[in-house]
């Protein structure tokens, strides 16, 4: 589905229109995601310097979006006011390997910590068919306007029609609470090395859960 799709706004507000991103959206969405990511605990752990963090993540998301528009599902609210990037799994393995190499290159000299992160996230990856919410963000000046909820609702409606589960990783307690409000539950948690933040693997409905229902603590590194 490529046309606009109405989704309910937060707090009973007006419906927000969700549409499919195009290549022309790459630059404004990379800007949005880079701005949103600078306060993320995992990104702060990866890149300590705030200025370098923004520049690195802008480069990262430019490459990510170029790939996702072609091979994933990129939903957008308004004029790039919010974005969700989804990937169906299982994916093509060669394409997935190429994607990871592109991500590592975009991280520049931060590829070492990013490799730790991908190892931790890989330990959390569920088996079986599912859609993975890789990134979700709203413009910082439009937070609490229901944009994230509208993006989730639009894709969840697709998934519920075919009984497909969704998975996501929360990198903060705020994210975890937000996903829980939308029907996700924690199935595992991993801890990044050197005092890094936890990553909560979460799953929503669909096929029978293929992970233990209680969080199994993993220490990476």
């Amino acid at each position: 589905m490529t046309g606009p799709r109405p989704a309910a706004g937060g707090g009973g507000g007006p419906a927000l229109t969700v549409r499919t991103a195009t290549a022309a959206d790459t630059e404004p969405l990379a800007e949005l995601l880079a701005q949103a990511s600078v306060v993320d605990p995992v990104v702060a752990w990866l890149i300590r310097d705030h200025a370098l963090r923004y520049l690195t993540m802008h480069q990262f998301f430019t490459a990510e979006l170029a790939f996702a528009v072609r091979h994933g599902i990129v939903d957008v609210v308004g004029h790039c006011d919010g974005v969700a990037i989804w990937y169906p799994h299982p994916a093509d393995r060669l394409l997935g390997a190429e994607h990871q190499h592109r991500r590592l290159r975009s991280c520049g000299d931060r590829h070492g910590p990013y490799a730790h992160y991908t190892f931790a996230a890989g330990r959390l990856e569920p088996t079986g068919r599912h859609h993975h919410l890789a990134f979700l963000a709203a413009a910082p000046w439009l937070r609490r306007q229901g944009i994230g909820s509208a993006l989730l609702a639009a894709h969840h409606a697709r998934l519920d029609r075919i009984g497909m589960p969704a998975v996501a990783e929360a990198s903060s307690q705020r994210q975890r609470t937000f996903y829980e409000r939308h029907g996700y539950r924690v199935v595992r948690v991993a801890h990044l090395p050197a005092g890094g933040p936890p990553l909560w693997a979460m799953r929503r409905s669909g096929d029978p859960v293929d992970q233990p229902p209680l969080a199994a603590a993993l220490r990476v590194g």
Side-chain angles (χ1 to χ4, degrees), residues 26 29-30 33 60-70 74 83 85:
T26 296
L29 290 178
L33 284 160
F60 175 91
F61 283 119
T62 298
E64 184 74 23
L65 284 157
F67 179 87
V69 165
R70 294 195 307 272
V74 184
V83 59
I85 300 177

Side-chain angles (χ1 to χ4, degrees), residues 1-151:
M1 182 180 295
T2 59
R5 302 176 300 281
L16 298 169
T17 299
V18 177
R19 62 180 176 84
T20 301
T22 68
D25 296 311
T26 296
E27 176 53 34
L29 290 178
E31 175 80 13
L32 165 65
L33 284 160
Q35 289 181 353
S37 71
V38 294
V39 296
D40 183 86
V42 169
V43 177
W45 172 81
L46 284 168
I47 308 168
R48 305 290 184 182
D49 181 85
H50 191 277
L52 179 61
R53 192 183 307 162
Y54 171 81
L55 293 173
T56 301
M57 296 313 296
H58 188 279
Q59 181 174 316
F60 175 91
F61 283 119
T62 298
E64 184 74 23
L65 284 157
F67 179 87
V69 165
R70 294 195 307 272
H71 303 294
I73 301 162
V74 184
D75 287 336
V76 181
V77 165
H79 183 60
C80 299
D81 295 329
V83 59
I85 300 177
W86 297 85
Y87 292 111
H89 284 266
D92 180 279
R93 292 195 176 190
L94 290 176
L95 195 63
E98 175 194 332
H99 186 203
Q100 284 299 343
H101 289 148
R102 184 183 293 108
R103 284 175 162 178
L104 284 168
R105 288 195 302 272
S106 71
C107 287
D109 62 1
R110 304 307 300 163
H111 65 274
Y114 180 75
H116 277 295
Y117 163 73
T118 55
F119 177 65
R123 295 280 296 274
L124 298 173
E125 185 71 19
T127 58
R129 295 173 65 243
H130 63 276
H131 280 204
H132 175 218
L133 177 61
F135 302 100
L136 176 69
W141 55 92
L142 293 173
R143 297 261 169 86
R144 302 186 184 276
Q145 302 298 311
I147 291 173
S149 295
L151 286 161

Side-chain angles (χ1 to χ4, degrees), residues 139-165:
W141 55 92
L142 293 173
R143 297 261 169 86
R144 302 186 184 276
Q145 302 298 311
I147 291 173
S149 295
L151 286 161
L152 288 183
H155 197 68
H156 288 168
R158 299 171 180 151
L159 298 181
D160 290 347
R161 285 194 291 269
I162 58 175
M164 180 74 70

